Amino acid sequence: MAKPAKKKKSAASSQEHAQEYAQERAQKEAAQALAAAAKKLFSFSFSSPLVLRSAKPEFGDLSSAAAFEIAKNAKTAKKNPVDIAKKLAAETAQVLPPLFSSVAALGPYVNFVYSNEFYAALLYEVSVAGEAYGSSESGAKRRVVIDYSSPNIGKPMHVGHIRSTILGDSICRLLRFTGCSVVGSNYLCEAGTQTAKLMLALHELEKRKLNDEKDLLDYYVKIHKRIEENPELLEKARVIVEDMEKGEVKLKKELAEVRRISVDAFDRNYALLGVSFEESIFDSDMVPLAKRMALELLDKKIAFRDKDGEIVGDLEKFALPNLIVLRSNGTTLYSTRDLALAETRFERHAFTECVYVTGSEQKNHFNQVFKILDLLGKPYAAGLKHVSFGLISLPSGKMSTRAGNVVLLEDILNAVIAEAQKEILKRRGADYSESEIGAISKQIGVGSTRFAFLRVSPEKNIVFNPAAAVVFEGDTGAYVQYALVRCRSILAKAEEAGVKADAYAKTTKSDFGREEKALLALAAEFPLAVESAARAMQPHQVCDFLLKFCAAFNAFYAACPVLNAENDEDKVRRLRIVEASLRVIENGLGLLGISAPEKM
Ligand code: ARG
């Protein structure tokens, strides 16, 4: 399952284009012009006046509140920011940088409007950067381990694991795109009582051949019933945990079989979703170090032995619940193994950060583990971070749950793919062959599932509705995929007609129309949206951006004929805009792990 570590960013992203993008450049130039004006007019020295994207089109493209600061602090200025803004704008207009066509004061604000040259520069920059457009080297010094997916051997992944898998994968992509070196790490849990119960099932229940995870699930459900009827079986499960930790040979063999079935099933899911990891770690391999660390805690008085003989992390004085780290029979727990896991990963990767992507019900667990590592004086403790997320529910009746109330990833994907197929048949049933429809539905289904999970900010709960996930007009992955397919089809038609867009690269004199400007101003924002999403580890920011961008693209498409444009100049300019839009959407979807079908 593990793949060798590799840098996934395209080679084209090297130094040359990862530097400063058009919007950043424009912001800097506007700030410099304002600073010079402030100095000349008011003898006021700015470290750097803040210039931001304007909130509304009537405020221009970039906007600065520099006048406020001058009014507050300058000795020679009048105290009225409206006057100051007027003067600043008039002075700045004298030496206006070429990326702007005008500057004006509106109330106390100074607003800048991008010039045709700005849009031309942007188009050029997007086409040169290509797959790397939006990437940066801002994270070059960070080495980040991301613990995600991390399902349990012997059980199918539940919806929480699916959210972790999709979210963690996208965070990996975002961090790589911004220059971090990333280790996607899957932590496969099998050392606990859960697996022991499954071993117990193998001993207690009628023998049968185990083929796949559904058989395991079935076993699991049955043994739970049996334990409920005969609680004394729990003691047997406890002994099994002890024996597993001792490495008892027969158990090891049985576990290997269960492991194989589970890992096969996980790998099928990962292949479907297009997810891979740089490493997989089994928690049972953490047991020896975990035991040593538990004893070290006792030694260093970070933990105490309670009256029942358990070793307990003494955390109440830090406003956290105490944490059992070793049972009285000497076996480890989830928490103890997580201590050893952090230590092991730091030894292996010397990470600057290690991020755990799991449900918010594990918040306490991670706070406790992080605190204990901090008390142990671990140099990496400050770099540990829990990215938690809310619950996922399915509208009842929409999807049948299997025994054990578990919804399998396959069930979810199949339901969404079926919905996507309905949608395609409804729209284009006559145009495509059956196998084409199958392939397209799959790509839309998987992409839309990813999008539906990523769109929601992590702390919020998700009600996942397969039919709603694939509608073509809405806040969906299908909607974004559709815009991309539309770009592709325009470009393909242009090629057929022999229209070349490159010609435009040489001229910057063309006048950009309103919808074109609105779309391109957003394209210019893309690198900043990526940077912000990466910094916060919030892929939903990318989703928000893409939905906005696609709406602007559709407005452009509705207002501006491309291949039927009135003259050649408009035609090539708009083709270049379509090319740039394709880039932005494709790169954005790439950060979410979504690809689009050739047609839909
Ligand atoms: N296997 C755990 C579960 O299903 C998640 C593990 C998360 N990672 C970790 N290092 N504890 O809840």
Side-chain angles (χ1 to χ4, degrees), residues 19 30 95 150 269 329-330 334 342 351 389 453 465 483 528:
Q19 294 319 316
V95 287
S150 301
N269 288 335
N329 65 1
Y334 181 51
F351 59 77
F389 53 77
F453 274 83
N465 181 342
L528 287 105

Side-chain angles (χ1 to χ4, degrees), residues 486 489-490 493 515 519 552-562 578:
R486 188 168 263 172
S489 111
I490 298 170
K493 279 192 193 127
E515 289 81 9
L519 176 61
F553 177 78
N554 290 338
F556 155 79
Y557 181 78
C560 309
V562 182
V578 174

Side-chain angles (χ1 to χ4, degrees), residues 147 150-152 161 187 189 334 338 341 356 358 362 365-366:
D147 177 319
S150 301
N152 302 316
H161 294 122
Y187 182 53
C189 298
Y334 181 51
D338 251 326
L341 177 66
Y356 302 79
T358 78
Q362 298 200 28
H365 162 78
F366 283 110

Side-chain angles (χ1 to χ4, degrees), residues 16-292:
E16 14 166 359
H17 1 270
Q19 294 319 316
E20 227 173 28
Y21 292 108
Q23 184 181 324
E24 253 178 294
R25 241 168 24 242
Q27 279 171 286
K28 219 175 247 177
E29 287 185 12
Q32 275 162 6
L34 283 173
K39 184 147 210 178
K40 184 165 165 197
L41 296 173
F42 311 112
S43 314
F44 183 80
S45 291
F46 262 113
S47 43
S48 172
L50 210 53
V51 177
L52 298 169
R53 268 289 276 162
S54 306
K56 287 185 183 163
E58 13 346 340
F59 305 156
D61 293 303
L62 299 179
S63 192
S64 175
F68 282 110
E69 206 173 321
I70 298 176
K72 255 192 297 172
N73 298 309
K75 295 189 185 67
T76 58
K78 284 201 223 124
K79 297 294 177 201
N80 184 350
V82 175
D83 280 351
I84 297 175
K86 218 180 269 167
K87 292 205 169 90
L88 273 181
E91 177 63 26
T92 312
Q94 302 302 310
V95 287
L96 193 63
L99 293 178
F100 302 105
S101 62
S102 67
V103 56
L106 188 68
Y109 295 95
V110 181
N111 300 329
F112 294 80
V113 176
Y114 292 147
S115 62
N116 286 331
E117 193 160 329
F118 173 90
Y119 295 110
L122 174 79
L123 282 179
Y124 179 73
E125 157 179 313
V126 176
S127 78
V128 171
E131 281 174 30
Y133 180 63
S135 70
S136 74
E137 294 297 326
S138 64
K141 295 212 177 79
R142 295 164 63 188
R143 218 183 349 267
V144 191
V145 174
I146 316 269
D147 177 319
Y148 69 104
S149 194
S150 301
N152 302 316
I153 296 291
K155 286 170 77 178
M157 291 196 209
H158 55 63
V159 274
H161 294 122
I162 298 169
R163 192 168 188 185
S164 169
T165 306
I166 293 174
L167 187 57
D169 176 64
S170 183
I171 291 175
C172 287
R173 289 168 193 266
L174 270 170
L175 294 189
R176 282 195 190 101
F177 207 56
T178 47
C180 302
S181 100
V182 175
V183 180
S185 183
N186 197 5
Y187 182 53
L188 297 153
C189 298
E190 61 180 14
T193 319
Q194 309 276 330
T195 323
K197 285 181 186 161
L198 197 60
M199 300 289 110
L200 183 69
L202 293 178
H203 305 160
E204 294 292 319
L205 302 177
E206 192 188 325
K207 277 260 168 317
R208 61 179 239 219
K209 195 164 159 27
L210 297 175
N211 290 316
D212 57 23
E213 60 174 351
K214 284 162 216 144
D215 294 338
L216 292 179
L217 184 59
D218 190 47
Y219 248 27
Y220 196 82
V221 172
K222 288 206 174 107
I223 192 69
H224 258 258
K225 249 196 218 125
R226 182 75 63 93
I227 292 174
E228 251 164 47
E229 291 151 17
N230 315 288
E232 72 280 3
L233 281 176
L234 270 182
E235 183 49 32
K236 281 196 178 172
R238 261 193 289 277
V239 175
I240 292 179
V241 174
E242 268 179 60
D243 289 344
M244 282 203 306
E245 290 208 354
K246 280 185 202 138
E248 213 244 22
V249 180
K250 182 165 164 267
L251 279 174
K252 254 187 156 166
K253 260 173 78 183
E254 286 168 346
L255 180 61
E257 176 65 6
V258 170
R259 211 193 237 195
R260 188 188 57 74
I261 295 171
S262 283
V263 170
D264 276 357
F266 298 153
D267 280 348
R268 269 203 314 279
N269 288 335
Y270 296 143
L272 255 178
L273 283 175
V275 168
S276 62
F277 302 87
E278 274 73 41
E279 74 178 8
S280 296
I281 300 181
F282 288 97
D283 70 341
S284 49
D285 293 332
M286 297 299 111
V287 168
L289 175 59
K291 283 188 179 163
R292 288 201 298 280

